Amino acid sequence: MRLILDIAVTHIAGRGRQTLVAVLGVAVGVGFSIAMAALMQGGQDDLIAKLVDTMPHVEITDDRRQPPTQPAEAAFDAVAIAGLRPREDRRGIINPTAAFTWLREWVPGRVAASLETQGVIRYLGRDVGATVVGIEPKAERGVSPIIGNFVQGSFEALGAGGNNAVIGDRMAARLGAGMGDTVTVVAATGQSRGFKIAGLFHTGITARDEHEVYVLLKSAQILDERINVINQIRIKLNDPAAAPAAARRAEARLGYKSVSWQEANRQILEAVVVRNVIMYTVVAAIMLVAGFGIFNIISTITHEKARDIAIMKSLGFSQGDMQRLFVLEGVAIGAAGSALGWLLGFALVYALSLVHFELSAGGRELTRLPIAWDPLHYAIAAGFAVASAAVAGYLPARRAARQHPVDIIRGAS
């Protein structure tokens, strides 16, 4: 094996310029593959982190997956019932105290109840459509993603006395209002009430910063004319991956629609899987192109060294030894290119991580490219490179090893 290795080094060194070109081809392929994987993985991780951080892991609403059975259907054996006039029963989670208490007994995380309704915020003749969310400040701290995004004030300011509200800074800018100003909240029921701005938050998500208003739960219930009613229970789990199981258990017991963050974002997560397939397909294609360069070099070497191959086989080298010789040459070029590609990939990823810009895309502000520093990217790129190099070396080696030494020496091939 040592002799085969020496011969392989001699062959590679004898074609220094072509070897260098092949090594650089592999290095460029590996380097750009690492950079592309880091960028795409970083974007994926950033997206999933935002999904996990900006929404409850499980959300229970006053909706149901299946329509409830009508009392007439239970009382009469009828094929179909039509023409019934339902009672005017405003929606909400029935017996919220019992539901909330049961959830807190077993949920490994934080639970918060709220009442969400639609309304209009008025100030100095300006109207802005808003989602009015009634909350309990202490419980909300455990589930709300905006707790650390306050520019001024905090959720605790809601309970400081009086009718207080916290709004997004973009909504405040649209209204021309600021801290301490009093705005009027008009609910869909027609009820209106004045609230003092006690806090401003900025999440970077346009829909929230422009259209969300938080008030005390009791104030929201009065505005919506639904005393002691809630229509949302939000859960933040210690382990976000356990959300589907928690949602199924809550829905089975309470009967209300319980949605995990994975279910709410199923299409996005499916798109992430497709992106991963595309990413690794492109990486494999890049390495395949680099492999053609190695194939060209090994093919040239086997053609030029045909008489040397015949002499070595006549001296006792087996067909397997010839194959190992040229496969080893291909792997050596692939390994050298991978090592150089690691350095290039690290430099590219580092350069991308330094890119700074200001962009608001998809309602969320970006200031830096999301980059993932993952050793697995280096291992996968190098694995593809060495594998393609081994295949590129094996194909001409197999053809050369099968040739008979007498035919080569006589010039029959």
Side-chain angles (χ1 to χ4, degrees):
M1 189 64 187
R2 177 64 181 273
L3 179 58
I4 293 177
L5 180 61
D6 291 340
I7 296 172
V9 172
T10 302
H11 283 177
I12 294 173
R15 305 189 64 85
R17 184 176 300 177
Q18 288 187 345
T19 301
L20 180 61
V21 171
V23 169
L24 290 177
V26 175
V28 170
V30 170
F32 278 92
S33 298
I34 291 171
M36 183 186 68
L39 191 58
M40 295 190 70
Q41 182 71 40
Q44 173 184 317
D45 293 344
D46 180 69
L47 174 62
I48 294 178
K50 290 296 181 183
L51 293 178
V52 172
D53 293 341
T54 59
M55 65 184 303
H57 298 156
V58 177
E59 185 175 26
I60 304 171
T61 63
D62 58 351
D63 197 3
R64 297 179 186 270
R65 293 189 187 272
Q66 300 294 333
T69 303
Q70 295 295 325
E73 292 179 311
F76 301 100
D77 244 351
V79 176
I81 298 176
L84 292 178
R85 297 183 62 185
R87 294 177 299 176
E88 292 294 332
D89 188 13
R90 301 195 67 190
R91 290 172 54 177
I93 294 178
I94 299 174
N95 198 1
T97 302
F100 194 75
T101 302
W102 175 75
L103 288 169
R104 295 190 65 178
E105 288 177 354
W106 64 269
V107 168
R110 286 83 61 200
V111 184
S114 64
L115 175 64
E116 184 175 301
T117 186
Q118 300 301 312
V120 175
I121 311 300
R122 289 178 177 169
Y123 181 74
L124 297 180
R126 302 182 182 94
D127 291 353
V128 175
T131 298
V132 182
V133 186
I135 62 169
E136 294 289 354
K138 289 185 179 179
E140 192 68 17
R141 287 185 62 88
V143 301
S144 179
I146 69 173
I147 193 66
N149 295 319
F150 274 87
V151 179
Q152 292 177 285
S154 64
F155 278 134
E156 282 72 14
L158 296 178
N163 291 330
N164 294 328
V166 295
I167 68 176
D169 60 346
R170 293 194 175 190
M171 174 182 284
R174 290 181 62 186
L175 292 169
M179 286 287 292
D181 292 333
T182 299
V183 298
T184 301
V185 179
V186 183
T189 59
Q191 292 281 352
S192 63
R193 200 170 191 178
F195 288 89
K196 179 182 177 181
I197 299 176
L200 298 174
F201 58 83
H202 177 80
T203 64
I205 302 174
T206 304
R208 307 198 70 169
D209 295 338
E210 287 190 357
H211 300 288
E212 282 194 356
V213 177
Y214 289 85
V215 298
L216 285 176
L217 179 59
K218 290 295 183 183
S219 299
Q221 290 169 341
I222 293 172
L223 282 170
D224 208 37
E225 297 180 350
R226 290 196 281 181
I227 305 302
N228 298 323
V229 171
I230 62 172
N231 58 9
Q232 278 188 344
I233 297 177
R234 288 168 291 163
I235 302 173
K236 276 281 190 179
L237 300 172
N238 298 331
D239 179 15
R248 287 192 297 269
R249 180 175 178 181
E251 185 166 338
R253 171 66 181 269
L254 301 177
Y256 293 104
K257 187 176 181 179
S258 302
V259 180
S260 64
W261 69 270
Q262 293 96 328
E263 180 184 353
N265 299 281
R266 179 178 297 141
Q267 291 182 338
I268 296 177
L269 296 178
E270 289 174 353
V272 166
V273 174
V274 174
R275 282 185 57 182
N276 286 339
V277 172
I278 294 173
M279 177 181 71
Y280 289 113
T281 301
V282 173
V283 170
I286 293 173
M287 294 300 102
L288 182 62
V289 171
F292 278 112
I294 299 173
F295 175 82
N296 182 49
I297 290 179
I298 303 301
S299 296
T300 303
I301 291 176
T302 56
H303 179 73
E304 292 182 350
K305 303 295 182 181
R307 291 188 176 275
D308 294 352
I309 293 171
I311 294 171
M312 287 189 292
K313 293 187 73 173
S314 64
L315 291 174
F317 285 86
S318 65
Q319 180 174 327
D321 290 333
M322 293 297 97
Q323 289 183 354
R324 281 192 292 272
L325 170 63
F326 293 107
V327 169
L328 185 60
E329 293 178 13
V331 170
I333 295 173
S338 298
L340 192 58
W342 283 354
L343 297 177
L344 177 60
F346 181 85
L348 289 173
V349 173
Y350 181 73
L352 289 173
S353 69
L354 297 179
V355 175
H356 181 82
F357 55 88
E358 293 184 3
L359 174 66
S360 182
R364 184 166 56 85
E365 295 177 350
L366 298 174
T367 57
R368 291 188 182 275
L369 290 173
I371 298 295
W373 297 86
D374 191 347
L376 183 61
H377 298 158
Y378 295 79
I380 291 175
F384 273 119
V386 173
S388 61
V391 172
Y394 173 77
L395 294 177
R398 183 169 175 269
R399 184 183 67 232
R402 286 183 172 182
Q403 294 180 350
H404 197 278
V406 175
D407 294 334
I408 298 174
I409 295 173
R410 287 177 177 176
S413 63

